[in-house]
Amino acid sequence: MQNMKDKHEPLVSVVIATFNMSQYLPGAVNSVLAQSWQNLEVIVVDDGSSDNTAGSMKRFGNDSRVRYIQTENRGQPKAKNRGLAEAGGEYIAFCDADDLWHPSKLIVQMPLFENPKVGVVYSEVSYIDQYGADVSKPQPYPRYSGIVTKKLVIKNFVPFGTAIIRRACIDKNGVFDENLPMGIDWDLWLRYSIDWQFQYTPEQTYIYRIWSGQMSKNYRSRYDNAFLILNKFLNLYPDTLPNTLIARAWADMYVSRGMAIACAERTFSEPLKDILTGLRWDSTYWPAWRSLAKLMLRRV
């Protein structure tokens, strides 16, 4: 495959939506600007921050590649969509304000768009703590390439910040759902998977920061939204998946929520109800039986 750096480099727009992340935001912006890929722009959308975000962005005031947009606090989906509306690139990428990019991210991922059927290119992740020290963490899910809807409906295996998308995906399949406060990436990937192939590279191009202030730690709200997203997708595309796979998707949803609650709260009755509901959806789903055994033996 010919490296796209040897040809004209298409413009990549990088959207960073931020809220009260002044301690980490400059590092995120600098990591994007440090790319080997030269043709890029960074769009920082400040979703009504009350900290020193504006002050921390002043250092980029003379860099024409960086745009800083301040808005009232309207939530992350609206902030990300504002970034998408401002983006001028043929390709669009993302970086959360508390995370970082590897310098070679775009050089690694952009050549994988050579196939015009590929709409999303994503990669593997490495982890750091709140101080920037490396954290060892196992890969949570298998990754997939190609037509991925049947896999994606079970698990969201695409780490959001690693993804680069074609603008054509937005034009054809839409932007983030502003009615969803969480899980907006899974909703987006499900819709994109209907018309586009996904391409995975095992290289670690994204550095995810694990710290106490993350929204992703709110597991109950996360699952509330996941239920909404799955139901929405199945209603929008009722003939896309066989009934057996739909049943498995619901089984996994209930079992996953049950185990999340069991692990976080050390409770029994609510997780048991969820796991049994999952088994009613799909009695052949072996992770549900494994989860039931772990719960009964108090090994969660």
Side-chain angles (χ1 to χ4, degrees):
M1 180 185 296
Q2 184 178 2
N3 193 316
M4 291 177 71
K5 191 180 180 183
D6 298 333
K7 302 186 260 185
H8 170 67
E9 290 185 347
L11 176 64
V12 179
S13 299
V14 185
V15 174
I16 302 178
T18 185
F19 176 70
N20 288 345
M21 290 286 174
S22 61
Q23 73 271 38
Y24 295 130
L25 177 60
V29 175
N30 278 323
S31 74
V32 175
L33 295 177
Q35 291 294 297
S36 304
W37 187 275
Q38 296 297 306
N39 195 16
L40 57 82
E41 63 175 0
V42 184
I43 303 163
V44 177
V45 181
D46 182 355
D47 186 37
S49 294
S50 58
D51 64 356
N52 190 39
T53 294
S56 71
M57 286 298 297
K58 287 181 179 179
R59 72 192 71 184
F60 303 107
N62 294 323
D63 194 323
S64 62
R65 296 172 295 173
V66 180
R67 273 184 283 160
Y68 175 54
I69 300 168
Q70 292 177 282
T71 69
E72 62 183 4
N73 181 242
R74 302 187 302 161
Q76 63 154 334
K78 287 184 172 66
K80 285 183 167 66
N81 281 342
R82 175 65 186 274
L84 294 180
E86 296 284 340
E90 182 182 349
Y91 298 88
I92 299 170
F94 306 94
C95 185
D96 284 344
D98 51 347
D99 295 339
L100 301 166
W101 277 16
H102 282 280
S104 61
K105 176 179 173 62
L106 294 178
I107 290 294
V108 168
Q109 291 184 240
M110 287 299 292
L112 300 178
F113 282 106
E114 191 169 72
N115 178 354
K117 295 180 180 179
V118 171
V120 179
V121 173
Y122 71 104
S123 77
E124 203 45 70
V125 184
S126 59
Y127 300 90
I128 57 175
D129 64 15
Q130 60 183 326
Y131 307 109
D134 291 339
V135 174
S136 178
K137 186 176 179 182
Q139 178 177 304
Y141 307 124
R143 315 293 191 192
Y144 300 96
S145 294
I147 300 170
V148 299
T149 306
K150 291 182 178 180
K151 300 293 187 181
L152 192 59
V153 77
I154 303 295
K155 295 290 186 185
N156 180 12
F157 52 80
V158 180
F160 171 69
T162 74
I164 306 172
I165 64 175
R166 291 186 191 270
R167 173 173 291 280
C169 293
I170 296 171
D171 297 337
K172 187 169 187 177
N173 304 96
V175 296
F176 294 103
D177 185 340
E178 296 183 356
N179 293 315
L180 295 169
M182 298 178 71
I184 58 174
D185 56 327
W186 189 37
D187 172 74
L188 197 73
W189 305 147
L190 283 168
R191 284 186 277 125
Y192 287 6
S193 74
I194 295 296
D195 294 302
W196 301 92
Q197 293 183 21
F198 284 49
Q199 184 62 52
Y200 166 68
T201 175
E203 295 195 49
Q204 295 176 335
T205 74
Y206 193 81
I207 306 170
Y208 183 88
R209 190 184 305 272
I210 301 172
W211 65 292
S212 60
Q214 290 167 310
M215 180 186 294
S216 59
K217 290 184 178 294
N218 189 347
Y219 58 90
R220 283 191 176 268
S221 293
R222 187 171 72 247
Y223 276 103
D224 287 346
N225 282 277
F227 274 79
L228 292 174
I229 291 164
L230 180 56
N231 192 59
K232 171 191 170 183
F233 177 73
L234 295 176
N235 285 332
L236 282 174
Y237 304 99
D239 301 320
T240 300
L241 302 172
N243 289 335
T244 53
L245 186 60
I246 293 172
R248 178 143 298 185
W250 282 119
D252 182 82
M253 183 72 73
Y254 279 100
V255 171
S256 296
R257 183 177 68 178
M259 293 303 286
I261 293 171
C263 291
E265 301 176 19
R266 301 299 176 185
T267 57
F268 180 81
S269 59
E270 187 178 2
L272 177 63
K273 181 180 178 181
D274 266 350
I275 293 171
L276 292 178
T277 301
L279 283 168
R280 282 195 291 272
W281 273 101
D282 185 355
S283 62
T284 66
Y285 190 41
W286 68 264
W289 290 106
R290 183 181 61 186
S291 296
L292 180 61
K294 290 175 67 175
L295 183 67
M296 298 300 290
L297 295 170
R298 304 295 201 275
R299 293 181 178 175
V300 292

